[in-house]
């Protein structure tokens, strides 16, 4: 593999705390390409070329399809698919990750940009600026607060939303709403299905499923096998790996043959702008066809929550993918540098009319499986996309929408992970709560789902902080002691002290308490005073040095501390204790 | 003292979990008056009468003054001062607390009601409904998340804001802004001071300070003293206790004597509506003088954040006071029942044009020191207020504003606790952060201050959860292990495993870990797989039964667990370990 793991334990882009700002090491941290390019070998080039071409054949049909999900003209998918390869090659820390349009980001975009490319491009720019700033401020740690059930709840809901959104194209339905629940209603309303679309769509779907199945049931290859078996294996593997391109090409040929004879059988993609996108600054205002100008401020207000959700989700998706493949291929990634690379990609992307991009799980998997050696594979992919833009756009006119829908449905189906419910139920039932909160609310509005999930999981965490378990007969805190727990603890200590008035002492075992704050100190002072007033004794045991220092500094009156519970029992010998 | 402590360990108004809904015990929990009224003794009556009258003499001048702080006509202060006594007598759980207008609530009101009594009364009603609902839903625990530094930061800032706001009255300045910073600017702008106001104000202030000082320097009384010494002591004590009434009465006499001779020397309170307030439903819309109707929705939108801040702060203030005196006089209060009592007081108050009330620290202290025995003292206070409303309003016309300003300045000065900064610095420096955030932002807008303080203190708490200390040479977690910590922990474990490649095992001591969530389990699975891939061993020690159960249920591959660190070292004997 490419990176030396020991090199990559720093957090944050740019030089780590121990590195001078201008040293070559610091430069290497900012530009990871410097770590691998000087060591580049010719054998790597071959693998990178093969992987790059393979990913390219996947990304072109996907990009066209995802643009449809985002509610934008198809060429915007390709505009978004080539910048990532160049930028990530220089700034990325994982060899496998490929940036570009993804199902989830396209779905999110569709919520916020309302089918307006000007909004989309400005969103890309702002999203890039926000992500780059977060990287420079080293805010990547914010992702730590998005828990696994929240991620799963969100991706499952997104898979259903996206998949369902494509049913209309697969079935050739017209006039379907954007909002999920209305869409469900519209889809199941009795309507005239377009038989050719349905047939083609189901055929594409069946082919894709069959090829996926063939790939997954391919046994491990071996050099011992006869040459013709190896050849057949290779053929199946290649076909199934580029299955998206294959299906879309076949469907396009079919639709082209009908169209040239004047039969408008399928719903096709239709007119798209040909050629490369213009290189220009992102638009900071929009003039509508009827002449009114929408100012920058108005667009920003309109984008609203998207300016938080899209940068964060883009980051989350990309880091999750990078981590998964780093773990599989045994190298370490750098969260903040990844964030920096995505941010830059989005900023650069906004100059070529891209919509926001992030790491794509499916294409990263293809990249990794094809044996990519360095991020240089991404450059090859980008070149393929640029070539398509330059020369293939007239052909894209004939792509049947149903075939693209089949590509998307196959891409998002694995994202819906129904087994996670069983896993959560078996291992940790309370974690179903943030999962369900995120899952259900995501159908309403994605940002509500994620916010609800994060709030629920943090709430559960804070609940445990605020209501520590008191173990044993006496009072042994099972975890730390922080301000939200203090009221509860003093109430419990009082009820302990009161349950039998003959007992005049309570032992509070603090061996698991690693730190206290001022609120705790203040409440303990009060507690000690009240115990003293009643002629009762509160004895602390197992205080760590740091905690004891704080308590001594606060000069709590009547503070009694002994090493162990046994010593406490000896100290109050004669008076029965609770612990 | 009144309550049996053992009776009051329940949380929440109404019957606790073990009590049938309709039993007499349950009824007593809803109506604490049933606990003490049947045992009422004649000696208590005498003390309650004295205390009630004393508090009454304090509340009348304060109520007039606080109405000025709230930006309402002075009679609204008295309207707000009598309902609490009746309601709290029936529903309250502390003998000392007196509900009524307070400096802080008046300040908060002034922000949200914009000098409009209709807004104020509707705010009272909504505040009461919110507080009562919170009590019924047992949401009193939310207060646990407001830490000591936040409370101190807020009250200190409020003291300065209120005190400064009264300077204009003390100095007789005109046309002063409402906003704090503009107020400071306006106050120090060269302007014509009204000499009579300044003189009277400073005189009142000096008298109040002197009387406060005399009271605090009174030694403990004793029955052995000669009768004339005891008499003198009693006189000083009485004078200093009713000092507010005394000062205001003297100032009013002075201003009256000038006014009847036609000398308009002082800025006086002026015309007020005489008599008791009408008993009527709170207004749900307002018709402005120019005929436009402001609807209920518009008023609610206008009140905005006040509908959160005022119920919560009212609750916080009252509970803090009840707790302080319960601790001092050795009885227990019931947070949710207190909340219920305040909520009811506000709902009832809105029918007599009150603005939101809460527990008053100063008057509760007077009540307690005068030796009140039951909440019946509050009824006496209420009667005094009602009598003032019925008969004294014409006299209030002559009260000089400067004397009321002096009353307020003396009341809020002790709220500014500068020593807390030194205490926090000495005991726990990081807790200065939420203090300062709250303190500084409260000058801008109170709700921002409180929200910032809560966010900062929760952020600090979550930081500790997310970045547990790893003690010793090896990896001993010093606290729990929850999802935000997982990324960090696995990074640390990797760098441990990497620092010297000859070491092939890491021991993770989890003796302080009391629970894990699914995110932790998932990340541990990944971690174990990666360790295995590199031929390294990760051994857990000190797992509690509940944690071990979760990990076993999750069927983590290669999970190695031993009882203690020593056993772990034996298990990997031959291979050096980190712990």
């Amino acid at each position: 593999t490419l990176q030396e793991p020991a090199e990559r334990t720093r957090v944050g882009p740019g030089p780590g705390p121990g590195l001078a700002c201008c040293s070559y090491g610091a430069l290497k941290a900012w530009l990871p390409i410097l770590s691998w390019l000087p060591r580049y070998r010719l054998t790597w080039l071959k693998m990178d070329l093969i992987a790059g071409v393979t990913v390219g054949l996947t990304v072109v049909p996907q990009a066209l399809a995802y643009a449809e999900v985002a509610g934008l003209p198809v060429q915007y998918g390709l505009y978004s698919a080539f910048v990532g390869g160049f930028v990530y090659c220089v700034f990325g820390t994982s060899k496998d990750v490929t940036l570009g349009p993804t199902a989830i980001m396209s779905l999110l975009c569709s919520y916020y940009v309302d089918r307006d490319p000007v909004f989309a491009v400005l969103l890309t720019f702002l999203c890039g600026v926000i992500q780059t700033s977060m990287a420079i401020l080293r805010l990547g740690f914010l992702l730590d607060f998005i828990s696994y059930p929240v991620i799963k709840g969100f991706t499952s809901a997104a898979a259903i939303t996206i998949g369902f959104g494509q049913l209309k194209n697969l079935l050739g339905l017209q006039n379907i709403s954007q909002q999920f629940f209305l869409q469900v209603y519209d889809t199941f309303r009795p309507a005239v299905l377009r038989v050719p679309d349905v047939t083609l769509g189901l055929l594409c779907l069946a082919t894709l499923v069959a090829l996926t199945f063939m790939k997954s049931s391919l046994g491990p290859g071996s050099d011992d096998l006869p040459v013709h078996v190896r050849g057949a294996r290779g053929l199946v593997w290649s076909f199934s790996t580029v299955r998206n391109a294959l299906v879309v090409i076949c469907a396009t040929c079919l639709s082209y043959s009908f169209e040239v004879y004047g039969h408008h059988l399928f719903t096709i993609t239709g007119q798209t702008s040909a050629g490369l996108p213009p290189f220009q600054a992102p638009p900071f205002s929009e003039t509508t066809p009827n002449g009114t100008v929408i100012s920058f401020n108005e667009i920003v207000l309109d984008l609203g929550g998207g300016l938080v959700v899209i940068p964060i989700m883009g980051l989350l998706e990309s880091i999750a993918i990078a981590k998964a493949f780093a773990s599989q291929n045994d190298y370490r990634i750098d969260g903040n540098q990844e964030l920096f690379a995505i941010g830059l990609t989005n900023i650069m992307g906004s100059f070529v009319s891209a919509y926001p991009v992030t790491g794509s799980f499916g294409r990263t998997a293809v990249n990794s499986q094809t044996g990519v050696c360095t991020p240089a594979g991404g450059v090859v992919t980008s070149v393929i996309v640029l070539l398509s833009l330059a020369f293939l756009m007239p052909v894209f006119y004939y792509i049947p929408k149903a075939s693209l829908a089949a590509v998307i449905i196959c891409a998002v189906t694995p994202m819906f992970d129904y087994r996670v419910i069983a896993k959560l139920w078996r291992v940790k039932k309370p974690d179903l709560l943030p999962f369900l909160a995120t899952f259900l609310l995501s159908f309403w509005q994605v940002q509500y789902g994620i916010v609800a999930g994060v709030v629920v999981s943090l709430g559960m965490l804070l609940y445990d902080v605020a209501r520590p378990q008191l173990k044993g007969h006496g009072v042994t805190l099972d975890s730390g002691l922080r301000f939200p727990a203090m009221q509860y603890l003093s109430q419990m200590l009082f009820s302990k002290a009161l349950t039998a008035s003959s007992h005049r002492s309570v032992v509070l075992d603090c061996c698991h308490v690693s730190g206290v704050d001022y609120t705790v100190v203040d409440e303990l002072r009060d507690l000690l005073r009240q115990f003293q007033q009643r002629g009762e004794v509160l004895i602390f045991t197992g205080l760590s040095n740091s905690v004891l220092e704080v308590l001594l500094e606060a000069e709590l009156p009547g503070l009694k501390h002994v090493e162990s519970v046994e010593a406490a029992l000896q100290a109050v010998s004669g008076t029965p204790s609770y612990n």
Side-chain angles (χ1 to χ4, degrees), chain A:
Chain A
T1 56
L2 169 64
Q3 287 94 347
E4 310 287 288
E7 274 182 39
R8 305 236 53 83
T9 49
R10 277 181 331 96
V11 180
L19 291 171
C21 214
C22 313
S23 70
Y24 187 67
L27 199 65
K28 274 213 298 208
W30 282 104
L31 302 170
I33 191 175
L34 296 180
S35 311
W36 57 265
L37 197 60
R39 300 185 285 124
Y40 204 82
R41 298 187 221 143
L42 217 61
T43 47
W44 293 0
L45 183 62
K46 185 186 138 205
M47 295 310 289
D48 285 349
L49 265 175
I50 295 175
V53 170
T54 314
V55 175
L57 289 177
T58 313
V59 75
V60 172
Q62 280 193 342
L64 298 170
Y66 289 151
E68 160 76 29
V69 173
L72 297 172
V74 290
Q75 66 270 24
Y76 281 86
L78 294 176
Y79 294 168
S80 314
F82 67 84
V83 181
F86 297 114
V87 175
Y88 198 82
C89 175
V90 178
F91 295 98
T93 65
S94 153
K95 71 179 179 67
D96 299 306
V97 167
T98 66
L99 301 183
T102 67
I104 287 182
M105 288 300 270
S106 304
L107 175 72
L108 290 175
C109 267
S110 76
Y111 291 143
Y112 297 106
V113 306
D114 203 21
R115 304 188 160 271
D116 184 339
V118 170
F119 275 53
V121 174
L122 186 57
L123 176 59
T124 311
F125 177 74
L126 295 174
C127 173
V129 170
I130 292 168
Q131 289 173 329
T132 315
S133 318
M134 283 176 73
I136 291 169
L137 297 172
R138 294 169 188 245
L139 295 181
F141 77 91
L142 286 178
L143 289 187
D144 287 354
F145 293 97
I146 303 182
S147 65
Y148 180 91
V150 173
I151 297 174
K152 281 290 170 184
F154 163 68
T155 47
S156 300
I160 293 178
T161 310
I162 297 168
F164 209 92
Q166 291 305 311
L167 263 190
K168 65 172 189 288
N169 288 331
L170 201 71
L171 303 177
L173 298 176
Q174 307 285 330
N175 303 322
I176 301 290
S177 316
Q178 277 284 98
Q179 213 281 328
F180 179 73
F181 296 109
L182 293 176
Q183 214 169 55
V184 173
Y185 173 78
D186 284 348
T187 306
F188 289 117
R189 214 173 36 181
V192 188
L193 297 185
R194 287 180 55 109
V195 178
D197 279 338
V198 180
T199 317
L200 181 68
L202 292 178
L203 207 65
C204 290
L205 209 53
T207 315
L208 285 171
V209 170
L211 285 170
T212 312
F213 186 72
M214 276 167 76
K215 187 170 183 183
S216 65
S217 57
L218 266 185
S222 143
D223 287 340
D224 302 344
L225 294 170
V227 74
H228 65 274
V229 176
R230 266 162 53 203
R233 260 188 65 86
L235 205 66
V236 169
W237 189 89
S238 313
F239 270 161
S240 53
T241 300
V242 298
R243 59 185 180 274
N244 286 331
L246 209 66
V247 162
V248 172
I249 290 170
C250 291
T252 307
C253 290
L254 195 67
S255 104
Y256 178 76
S257 356
F258 281 108
E259 291 284 329
V260 289
Y261 291 109
H263 297 292
H264 300 297
L265 211 55
F266 305 116
T267 312
I268 56 173
T269 300
Q271 199 59 57
T272 56
S273 353
L276 299 179
F279 186 86
Q280 60 190 13
F284 288 101
S285 68
E286 184 183 13
T287 311
T288 56
N290 60 29
T292 47
V293 174
I294 308 176
S295 72
F296 178 69
N297 286 343
E298 285 170 315
I299 300 182
V300 167
L301 274 180
D302 236 37
L303 293 174
L307 291 177
V308 178
V309 172
I310 293 200
I312 294 273
M313 293 315 296
L315 169 59
L316 179 67
E317 206 180 339
S318 199
I319 301 262
I321 292 164
K323 268 178 49 192
F325 284 91
S327 154
Q328 186 176 304
N329 297 335
D330 200 25
Y331 57 83
R332 303 290 293 167
I333 57 139
D334 176 336
N336 280 304
Q337 178 72 21
E338 285 293 299
L339 179 48
F340 188 68
I342 305 170
L344 272 189
T345 302
N346 279 326
I347 293 179
M348 300 302 295
S350 70
F351 284 79
V352 292
S353 308
Y355 70 87
V357 302
T358 181
S360 147
F361 194 86
R363 298 195 297 277
T364 302
V366 168
N367 206 18
S368 170
Q369 285 159 17
T370 330
V372 76
C373 292
T374 69
V379 174
V380 180
T381 303
S382 297
V383 170
I384 303 261
V385 174
L386 285 172
L387 289 176
S388 311
L389 269 171
F391 304 112
L392 290 181
M393 287 311 273
V395 179
F396 294 163
Y397 177 89
Y398 298 101
I399 299 179
K401 281 193 167 188
S403 66
L404 293 181
V407 166
I408 295 181
I409 291 175
C410 279
V412 297
T413 308
M415 273 165 50
F416 178 70
D417 185 3
Y418 60 91
R419 285 162 309 179
V420 78
I421 300 181
K423 272 196 274 179
L424 289 174
W425 177 262
R426 199 159 44 85
V427 176
K428 192 83 187 175
K429 290 179 191 59
D431 275 0
L432 278 169
L433 208 66
F435 172 80
L436 289 177
T438 314
F439 181 72
L440 295 176
L441 280 175
S442 288
F443 288 112
W444 178 28
Q445 282 226 24
V446 172
Q447 68 263 48
Y448 295 163
I450 295 166
V451 168
V454 170
V455 167
V456 169
S457 46
L458 285 184
M460 287 166 58
L461 197 155
L462 286 177
Y463 178 85
D464 284 359
V465 172
R467 297 291 176 266
Q469 298 263 323
L470 303 175
K471 281 184 190 164
H473 292 99
V475 184
T476 304
L477 282 163
D478 78 333
S479 60
L481 184 56
R482 300 300 297 268
F483 70 89
M486 232 14 241
Q487 285 309 319
Y488 173 77
L489 179 70
S490 66
Q491 211 169 36
M492 289 297 115
L493 288 179
F494 273 112
S495 56
K496 279 279 172 213
L498 289 172
T499 37
S501 55
S502 66
H503 294 135
R504 311 306 295 168
S505 65
V506 174
V507 177
L508 179 65
D509 185 7
C510 298
C511 67
H512 296 312
V513 176
S514 59
V516 293
D517 50 47
Y518 194 85
T519 312
V520 170
V521 172
D522 192 65
E523 188 77 20
L524 283 181
R525 183 197 308 281
D526 211 48
L527 207 60
L528 282 167
R529 210 171 46 67
Q530 279 181 274
F531 265 77
Q532 230 165 9
Q533 231 166 32
R534 298 158 177 242
E536 288 156 355
V537 188
L538 178 62
I539 302 175
F540 295 86
T541 69
L543 290 176
S544 72
N545 285 339
S546 59
V547 174
L548 189 59
E549 255 167 48
V550 171
L551 296 186
L552 290 178
E553 194 59 65
E555 292 165 7
L556 298 185
L559 175 69
K560 282 196 180 53
H561 167 249
V562 291
E563 277 299 308
S564 65
V565 176
E566 290 72 34
L569 293 179
Q570 276 188 352
V572 297
S573 62
T575 59
S577 158
Y578 281 82
N579 204 324

